[in-house]
Amino acid sequence: MKNSTGNLTKTFPAPRVVGSEAERCGDATDAPPADLAAWRKALRGELIARRLALPPETLDAHRRQIDRHLERGFPNLARGVVAFCWPYKNEYDARFLVRRLRDAGATTALPVVVAPGSPLAFREWHPGVKLAKGALGIPYPADGAGIVPTTVLLPAPGFDDAGYRLGYGGGFFDRTLAALEKRPHVIAVAHEVAHIPTIYPQPWDVPVDFVVTERGIYERREGKLEFLGAPGPAGSRMASPVCYADEVDPGYFGGE
């Protein structure tokens, strides 16, 4: 259904910033749409349109905030292999962050589409590695041995209250995470306007471990996203403590 301005209305719940306790703990109780694929396609298009409408200064501010949350909230990222995605249509641009992570000792990688319907591969990337253009014009390392990430920074066109990601419809990351012998820790990165109540997850959908937006850090606990807050500088306290990488088991982000 379209309103007088030509925009879709009543096709899916409007994205919103989760604020109240009731919103954080609420479950999606509606039955899935009869044509879930069409519903997700419409939702994906609307969320991407919202992202594309963000002005450059807002995108830059969000990028800096997400960088800060990741660096403060997950200080051991530099000890592992961090996979990220080349930014597409106003996604969070992780290239600034991974440059600093490399300087601190991390290995960084990009995903590679091997074949339609197959899991993704990951190849090491740093400045100087030859890139080729893949689907949608997104660059990937043209050659090189495969590498297994310990952490994936995963762009999310949409994410819901249960920690499920709405992707681009190809199912690549779901297949990849399901196929890996040792699953990496998955941190979805998104703008807060991508937060929706539910994607009506199906058996093949794989939830993420954390979501980081300009607002702060969410963690998936007991099947629900819990907002932990925005981490402060080293030594400061947060209103809601986050489970930092250096406070869980030492191998969590590739540490010793």
Side-chain angles (χ1 to χ4, degrees):
M1 178 178 176
K2 294 186 176 182
N3 61 20
S4 59
T5 64
N7 294 324
L8 288 170
T9 60
K10 298 184 179 179
T11 55
F12 50 81
R16 77 283 187 269
V17 172
V18 181
S20 70
E21 188 67 26
E23 285 180 313
R24 280 199 298 272
C25 296
D27 290 328
T29 57
D30 295 339
D35 189 341
L36 182 61
W39 181 88
R40 285 186 176 184
K41 182 178 180 179
L43 173 58
R44 183 181 302 113
E46 175 67 15
L47 293 175
I48 292 173
R50 289 170 182 259
R51 194 173 74 206
L52 288 171
L54 296 173
E57 59 272 19
T58 298
L59 292 172
D60 184 63
H62 286 185
R63 193 269 303 168
R64 292 172 184 273
Q65 289 168 311
I66 293 171
D67 282 358
R68 185 164 57 247
H69 300 330
L70 288 167
E71 288 179 297
R72 291 177 175 177
F74 305 93
N76 285 345
L77 282 175
R79 297 185 183 182
V81 179
V82 180
F84 71 104
C85 296
W86 210 267
Y88 175 68
K89 290 188 174 180
N90 283 4
E91 288 176 340
Y92 161 69
D93 188 346
R95 291 175 295 179
F96 298 85
L97 172 69
V98 299
R99 180 180 60 196
R100 294 192 294 273
L101 293 178
R102 279 194 304 271
D103 289 344
T107 298
T108 56
L110 288 169
V112 180
V113 177
V114 178
S118 298
L120 296 165
F122 295 93
R123 293 176 185 162
E124 183 176 357
W125 178 83
H126 52 76
V129 171
K130 182 181 177 181
L131 292 172
K133 288 289 183 72
L136 307 176
I138 298 173
Y140 68 92
D143 48 36
I147 191 170
V148 179
T150 53
T151 304
V152 176
L153 301 179
L154 183 57
F159 68 94
D160 73 8
D161 288 343
Y164 287 93
R165 168 185 175 267
L166 178 70
Y168 288 98
F172 283 106
F173 274 102
D174 291 327
R175 284 192 295 273
T176 302
L177 294 174
L180 289 172
E181 183 175 346
K182 183 176 181 180
R183 171 182 158 135
H185 297 277
V186 182
I187 305 173
V189 284
H191 303 287
E192 192 67 36
V193 294
H195 194 171
I196 57 175
T198 185
I199 68 163
Y200 298 105
Q202 301 301 299
W204 57 83
D205 291 312
V206 179
V208 302
D209 302 306
F210 295 90
V211 178
V212 178
T213 73
E214 72 276 10
R215 183 178 180 229
I217 298 173
Y218 299 82
E219 183 180 10
R220 189 173 193 265
R221 295 178 177 176
E222 298 182 350
K224 298 178 182 179
L225 277 190
E226 180 177 337
F227 183 63
L228 304 180
S236 69
R237 295 182 60 85
M238 297 175 58
S240 177
V242 66
C243 184
Y244 291 125
D246 58 354
E247 294 176 354
V248 296
D249 78 82
Y252 189 83
F253 281 106
E256 296 297 323

